[in-house]
C-alpha cells in the first residue's frame, strides 16, 4: 500500500521540501501455537495490527529536513562573514577598556625623563670629582690609610685594566640584552633611575669625606685652584673618555668613597640576571665571574680602599633589591605598613611605576618593527589571495 500526503502549517513552513513516503503491508500475524494433538488452537477473536500513522512519520521527516536546511544557511552565513573579515581586516576594531588592554604600558617619555636624570648625575659626578681633586692631601703629607687587604696582597699593576675590560664587556652584554627585550621601556627607566641615584649617592660621599690616595703609585694631575677654564676642560675630558683609565681621561684623585667601578660591575650583573631566563644559568655564571673578578682586581690593583668596594657593593645591591621588591610586589605599594615607601625616592618610584600593573615578564622581540603602512599593505595582499 502506498500513501503520499502534503501537510501544510501556516506557523511552520519550510520552503523547497518535498515529502514522499512509501509504506509496505504490515507483517502477517504469527502462526497460532499448536497443541499436543497437532491441531492449532482456535481464537475466538483477532484484532489486526494497524500500520503506523503516515502523518507522524511525514512530519518527522519534514522537521529533519528543515533543521538541515537551517544549518546549511548558518554555515553559509559564517563563511561569508569570515571571508568579508579577511578582506577588510583593517576596518575591524574591537574596543577594550584601556586599563585591561595594556597592563605594561611603554611610556617612553618616562624613560626619557629617567635617562636625563641619569645623565645629569653622571655629569654632576665629574664636576664633584674635579672639585674634590683640589682638596686631596699630598702623598708626602697624608700617606695612604692602612688597609687589611693591602697588608696581605701586593699590588698588581695590570689588574685594574682587567677591571675596566670586564666592566665594558658586562655593559655591552646588558646593552644587547636590553635592546632585544620586549618591555625595554620599563626596564630602561628602572636602569637609568638606579644609575642616577647611585651616582648621586657617590657624589655625596665623595664630597663630605675626602680620603687620601690608597697607594703611592698613583699619579694625580696638578691642582688648578682658581683656574675655572682649566677645570671645565678637565670635566669635558673626563666625560669624553667615560671616566676610564684605559682612555687616559681619568688623571684626578679623590673619587674613592665609594667605588664607581664596583657600582657598574655589580649593577650590570644584577640587571643581566634579573631580565634573562632562569635556564640560562651558564650565562649568569659567566657574567658573575666577570663581575666578581673585576671587583677583586680593583683591590689587587690598589686603586680603591676595601671600604670603597664594600660600600659600593652594598649600596648597589640594596637599592636594586629595594626597588624591584616594590616593583614586583604590588600589595606593598598601597600598604600602610610598608617601610620601604618611606624612602626619599618613593614619589619618583610612584611616578615611574604607577601604570605598571603586573610583573614584567622576560620576553624578547626584534628591536626593529615594520612600519604600520607596510603591515597594512601586507594584510591587503593576504586578503586578496583569499579571494
Amino acid at each position: 500500500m502506498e500513501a503520499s500526503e502534503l501537510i501544510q502549517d501556516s506557523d511552520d513552513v519550510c520552503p523547497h521540501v518535498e515529502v514522499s513516503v512509501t509504506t509496505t503491508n504490515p507483517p502477517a500475524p504469527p502462526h497460532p501455537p499448536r497443541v499436543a494433538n497437532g491441531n492449532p488452537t482456535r481464537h475466538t477473536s483477532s484484532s489486526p495490527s494497524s500500520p503506523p500513522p503516515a502523518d507522524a512519520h511525514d512530519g518527522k521527516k519534514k522537521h529533519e529536513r528543515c533543521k538541515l536546511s537551517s544549518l546549511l544557511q548558518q554555515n553559509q552565513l559564517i563563511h561569508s562573514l569570515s571571508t568579508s573579515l579577511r578582506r577588510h581586516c583593517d576596518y575591524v576594531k574591537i574596543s577594550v577598556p584601556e586599563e585591561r588592554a595594556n597592563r605594561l604600558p611603554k611610556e617612553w617619555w618616562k624613560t626619557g625623563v629617567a635617562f636625563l636624570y641619569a645623565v645629569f648625575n653622571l655629569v654632576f659626578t665629574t664636576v664633584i670629582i674635579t672639585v674634590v681633586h683640589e682638596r686631596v692631601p699630598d702623598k708626602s703629607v697624608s700617606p695612604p690609610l692602612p688597609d687589611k687587604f693591602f697588608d696581605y696582597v701586593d699590588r698588581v699593576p695590570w689588574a685594574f685594566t682587567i677591571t675596566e675590560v670586564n666592566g665594558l664587556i658586562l655593559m655591552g652584554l646588558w646593552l644587547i640584552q636590553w635592546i632585544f627585550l620586549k618591555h625595554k621601556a620599563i626596564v630602561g627607566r628602572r636602569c637609568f633611575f638606579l644609575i642616577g641615584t647611585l651616582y648621586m649617592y657617590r657624589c655625596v660621599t665623595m664630597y663630605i669625606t675626602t680620603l687620601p690616595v690608597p697607594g703611592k703609585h698613583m699619579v694625580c694631575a696638578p691642582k688648578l685652584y682658581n683656574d675655572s677654564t682649566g677645570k671645565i676642560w678637565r670635566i669635558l675630558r673626563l666625560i669624553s673618555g667615560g671616566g676610564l683609565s684605559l682612555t687616559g681621561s681619568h688623571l684626578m684623585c679623590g673619587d674613592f668613597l665609594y667605588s664607581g667601578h664596583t657600582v657598574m660591575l655589580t649593577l650590570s650583573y644584577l640587571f643581566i640576571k634579573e631580565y634573562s631566563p632562569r635556564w640560562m644559568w651558564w650565562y649568569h655564571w659567566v657574567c658573575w665571574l666577570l663581575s666578581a673578578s673585576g671587583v677583586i682586581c680593583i683591590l689587587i690593583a690598589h686603586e680603591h680602599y676595601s671600604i670603597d668596594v664594600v660600600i659600593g657593593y652594598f649600596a648597589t645591591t640594596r637599592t636594586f633589591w629595594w626597588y624591584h621588591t616594590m616593583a614586583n610586589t604590588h600589595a606593598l605599594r598601597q600598604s600602610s605598613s610598608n617601610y620601604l615607601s618611606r624612602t626619599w625616592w618613593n614619589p619618583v618610584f610612584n611616578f615611574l611605576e604607577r601604570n605598571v600593573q603586573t610583573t614584567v615578564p622576560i620576553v624578547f622581540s626584534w628591536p626593529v618593527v615594520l612600519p604600520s603602512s607596510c603591515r597594512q599593505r601586507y594584510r591587503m595582499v593576504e586578503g586578496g589571495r583569499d579571494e
Side-chain angles (χ1 to χ4, degrees), residues 86-87 89-90 374-387:
R86 284 196 300 268
R87 293 178 182 176
C89 59
D90 293 331
C374 296
R375 294 199 300 269
Q376 182 177 359
R377 292 175 184 174
Y378 176 75
R379 294 195 197 102
M380 293 176 65
V381 171
E382 289 295 319
R385 289 179 180 178
D386 293 338
E387 298 177 2

Side-chain angles (χ1 to χ4, degrees), residues 134-195:
E134 304 294 323
R135 296 166 44 191
V136 176
D138 189 78
K139 291 181 290 186
S140 59
V141 177
S142 297
L145 299 175
D147 191 286
K148 206 64 179 176
F149 188 89
F150 298 164
D151 294 340
Y152 292 100
V153 180
D154 294 332
R155 176 179 176 264
V156 179
W158 48 263
F160 198 64
T161 302
I162 295 178
T163 295
E164 295 191 336
V165 170
N166 288 4
L168 292 174
I169 293 174
L170 284 172
M171 292 176 64
L173 291 174
W174 167 237
L175 178 61
I176 295 173
Q177 181 178 329
W178 175 77
I179 290 174
F180 283 92
L181 284 174
K182 181 179 180 180
H183 304 287
K184 60 176 69 68
I186 300 174
V187 178
R189 58 176 171 263
R190 292 176 178 180
C191 181
F192 295 141
F193 172 74
L194 291 178
I195 290 174

Side-chain angles (χ1 to χ4, degrees), residues 6-15 62 66:
L6 178 63
I7 301 174
Q8 297 181 353
D9 191 352
S10 59
D11 296 334
D12 186 11
V13 179
C14 183
K62 180 180 178 181
C66 290

Side-chain angles (χ1 to χ4, degrees), residues 23-209:
T23 60
T24 59
N25 293 328
H31 296 284
R34 294 179 180 273
V35 293
N37 58 3
N39 295 325
T41 59
R42 297 192 178 201
H43 296 273
T44 56
S45 62
S46 62
S47 59
S49 60
S50 59
D55 293 346
H57 190 71
D58 192 13
K60 184 178 179 181
K61 282 286 187 179
K62 180 180 178 181
H63 179 70
E64 292 178 354
R65 289 178 180 268
C66 290
K67 187 176 181 181
L68 180 60
S69 177
S70 63
L71 289 175
L72 290 175
Q73 291 178 359
Q74 291 178 3
N75 289 335
Q76 291 177 357
L77 179 60
I78 293 173
H79 179 71
S80 61
L81 286 175
S82 62
T83 304
S84 178
L85 288 175
R86 284 196 300 268
R87 293 178 182 176
H88 308 284
C89 59
D90 293 331
Y91 303 97
V92 177
K93 183 179 180 181
I94 300 175
S95 59
V96 181
E98 185 176 357
E99 60 272 9
R100 292 183 59 190
N102 190 2
R103 302 181 66 186
L104 294 169
K106 294 181 179 179
E107 297 180 313
W108 278 103
W109 68 276
K110 290 185 179 180
T111 307
V113 173
F115 175 76
L116 294 177
Y117 171 74
V119 170
F120 172 80
N121 283 290
L122 288 172
V123 174
F124 187 63
T125 300
T126 61
V127 176
I128 294 298
I129 291 174
T130 305
V131 173
V132 171
H133 175 75
E134 304 294 323
R135 296 166 44 191
V136 176
D138 189 78
K139 291 181 290 186
S140 59
V141 177
S142 297
L145 299 175
D147 191 286
K148 206 64 179 176
F149 188 89
F150 298 164
D151 294 340
Y152 292 100
V153 180
D154 294 332
R155 176 179 176 264
V156 179
W158 48 263
F160 198 64
T161 302
I162 295 178
T163 295
E164 295 191 336
V165 170
N166 288 4
L168 292 174
I169 293 174
L170 284 172
M171 292 176 64
L173 291 174
W174 167 237
L175 178 61
I176 295 173
Q177 181 178 329
W178 175 77
I179 290 174
F180 283 92
L181 284 174
K182 181 179 180 180
H183 304 287
K184 60 176 69 68
I186 300 174
V187 178
R189 58 176 171 263
R190 292 176 178 180
C191 181
F192 295 141
F193 172 74
L194 291 178
I195 290 174
T197 301
L198 289 169
Y199 272 85
M200 184 182 64
Y201 291 163
R202 186 168 181 251
C203 291
V204 175
T205 56
M206 283 191 303
Y207 186 78
I208 62 177
T209 302

Side-chain angles (χ1 to χ4, degrees), residues 364-380:
F364 295 93
S365 62
W366 289 106
V368 179
V369 183
L370 291 175
S372 59
S373 58
C374 296
R375 294 199 300 269
Q376 182 177 359
R377 292 175 184 174
Y378 176 75
R379 294 195 197 102
M380 293 176 65

